[in-house]
Amino acid sequence: AVVQTGAVIGRGALFAAGALVREGFCVPDGMPAAGVPARVIGPVGPTLRARIDDGVATYVACARAHRGSGDPA
């Protein structure tokens, strides 16, 4: 995603790959945005939010494990 200067991003907002968040556009807390230009596409329900949070935690754990492995790749 590309977020231009002056865009307002709410806490926990999500962006689709390739989204263009234009200057002055506001993405509310916890809402997903997609498109070129980006538009808010609706609320994220609790089940999807839990899956996203789990994915983030897994990614962070894998990155930490890789960083400690000594593998330069």
Side-chain angles (χ1 to χ4, degrees):
V2 175
V3 180
Q4 294 183 334
T5 301
V8 179
I9 310 304
R11 183 179 185 92
L14 305 169
F15 301 97
L20 171 62
V21 184
R22 297 175 109 179
E23 182 175 350
F25 188 75
C26 178
V27 182
D29 293 350
M31 296 294 266
V36 178
R39 63 182 179 82
V40 174
I41 58 174
V44 173
T47 302
L48 181 55
R49 173 55 64 188
R51 289 181 60 201
I52 292 167
D53 291 345
D54 183 55
V56 170
T58 299
Y59 179 87
V60 170
C62 287
R64 287 183 178 145
H66 178 73
R67 189 175 351 154
S69 73
D71 184 357

